[in-house]
Amino acid sequence: MGRNKHNLDTSHRNLMDEPFWQRVPAWKDVDEATFLDWMWQSKNTVTKPEQVLELLKEIVTPEFLEDVREGFRRASMSVRVSPYVFGLIDWDEPYTDPLRIQFVPLASRFTKDHPMLTFDSLGEQKDSPVQGLTHRYSDKALFLAMDTCTVYCRYCTRSYAVGSDTEDFEKMRLSVNRKRWEKAFEYIRNTPYLEDIVISGGDTYQLRPEQVTEIGNALLDIPTVRRIRFATKGPAIMPMKLITHTEWVDALTGVVERGRKQNVEVVVHTHFNHPKEITEITRKGLAVLFARGITVRNQSVLVRGVNDDPEIMKQLVRRLAYVNVHPYYVYVHDLVTGAEDLRTTVQTALDIEKVVRGSTAGFKTPTFVVDAPGGGGKRDAHSFEHYNRETGVSVYRSPSVDPDKYYFYCDPVELLPESGKKRWADPTQHDLILQEAEEAAKAAQAEIDSYHQDDGRLLRLPTLGGQAKSDVASGAG
Ligand SMILES: *Cc1c(COP(=O)(O)O)cnc(C)c1O
């Protein structure tokens, strides 16, 4: 079979455009106008395991139902799924559906956490000068405006902060929030080195329009702030809000426009993981933002069984580009309690990246990153000093954070070869495994250093008939 010189696959343009939610018996009479109403979506968001079980009882097998029931009992996260997401799940194939995997836990899929999880995966709380503000890296800080989300992802990195959300709780927190916000703004004001604020959470979709305006204005009042990002998973979970919650979109637009007048970049960062999450409703919603000149970037998480496949990732990236979103990052899954079955290996990330890069415009191609445990920050997945595929340990450095420190990421044990599994099964091996990896990283660096000349420059290796590479490059101009 011959191969096309060009990739002629255009399936990324085929967006779901049917009343898919009517497959759920409880919503079979819900018309499109109702379904597009963001208030209907909010009101009908599933927040209790019993609701999930109730909605599913006629359409899945009793065995699956039991698996869900038991899964909720063991899960460390609360449940919160919009009708949009719930309706998109293919309940005829619930075990393999990419949305089910992300939001509805199954007892049968639980696997043991990685032994190194106790390390603490990101340790953000240590770098909070005031509650709800993480200033850990250079000129940027993370402002956690609230602690509820539009959805609870099983793999949430911030499960320490995000969770329970009864009505009473929410009201209580909001009044507390105002004072907390003020403290965060004060810190930003007094830290002129900060230029870039990520407003996250929780989720800025959950902010009321006047809160969006308030936070936006407070940050725009600080002359040293040059970049603001509103982070929200909302467009992937409840895209109709962008169509029907006009006050919210107007509030966001107001902040973006004020920013533009002051030469401050205000953008939206969102989180799609699978091409199926992008429907015709999504396209219409994102078109509203595009028409208002609002830049939207996407950060995905590489999730086993969801998007750990080159063709699916390629379709996601191209579909995002198609709806005017910039794919920004793909994260190798952090070490998170109770989500080990969702992680995959660094090697998988490398393999997928190789296929994705080149399939569309470079500026629509995400960078695959590992958020280095222990506070190394986001590292290009390829930039490891050393990667042992047998033990699954990759070693990263992060000179702008700490030039002397080595950071370790660990692939999930169950995806390692037998010999690697065996070593992790023996607790006395754990320190040794990391030590070996660090030594190998140092040895690799020593080899590179051996090519340095006395003045520290890297030797230019002779190529092409003895000419040094850089001479050829400059000659070719
Ligand atoms: C991810 C992150 C940022 C933003 O990093 P970028 O690479 O600029 O997107 C800022 N602070 C913290 C703590 C983060 O985790």
Side-chain angles (χ1 to χ4, degrees), residues 170-307:
E170 205 144 339
K171 275 182 214 134
M172 186 186 78
R173 268 199 311 260
L174 290 177
S175 57
V176 176
N177 273 345
R178 182 127 303 111
K179 276 195 222 115
R180 184 169 69 68
W181 290 0
E182 201 34 66
K183 281 204 188 115
F185 300 146
E186 198 178 298
Y187 175 85
I188 297 166
R189 218 174 283 128
N190 294 329
T191 316
Y193 186 69
L194 274 178
E195 293 184 358
D196 181 350
I197 308 299
V198 183
I199 305 159
S200 182
D203 191 320
T204 53
Y205 231 55
Q206 300 285 90
L207 295 168
R208 291 195 296 269
E210 59 275 18
Q211 294 174 317
V212 170
T213 306
E214 184 181 334
I215 294 175
N217 280 337
L219 293 175
L220 286 171
D221 283 342
I222 305 172
T224 42
V225 171
R226 306 294 301 149
R227 294 175 290 283
I228 298 171
R229 330 177 197 174
F230 282 97
T232 169
K233 195 165 166 60
I237 299 306
M238 208 185 279
M240 52 284 286
K241 183 176 167 110
L242 302 174
I243 305 171
T244 56
H245 196 179
T246 312
E247 296 86 355
W248 192 88
V249 179
D250 284 348
L252 177 68
T253 308
V255 179
V256 172
E257 281 175 355
R258 184 183 158 195
R260 193 176 293 132
K261 286 200 192 92
Q262 297 176 205
N263 264 299
V264 173
E265 182 191 86
V266 182
V267 303
V268 171
H269 276 213
T270 191
H271 176 187
F272 289 93
N273 277 345
H274 192 278
K276 185 172 161 174
E277 294 161 9
I278 304 171
T279 64
E280 181 58 20
I281 302 173
T282 323
R283 193 193 62 74
K284 289 199 178 95
L286 290 167
V288 172
L289 298 186
F290 191 72
R292 295 179 182 217
I294 302 176
T295 297
V296 182
R297 303 192 189 109
N298 187 69
Q299 308 186 185
S300 297
V301 179
L302 195 58
V303 184
R304 200 194 314 173
V306 173
N307 55 17

Side-chain angles (χ1 to χ4, degrees), residues 124 134 136-137 140-142 158 196 198 229 269 299 328-329 331 371 378:
E124 283 179 353
T134 304
R136 163 169 253 181
Y137 306 118
K140 57 200 180 188
L142 199 62
R158 304 215 163 82
D196 181 350
V198 183
R229 330 177 197 174
H269 276 213
Q299 308 186 185
Y328 173 38
Y329 280 146
Y331 290 90
D371 206 343
K378 297 164 191 79

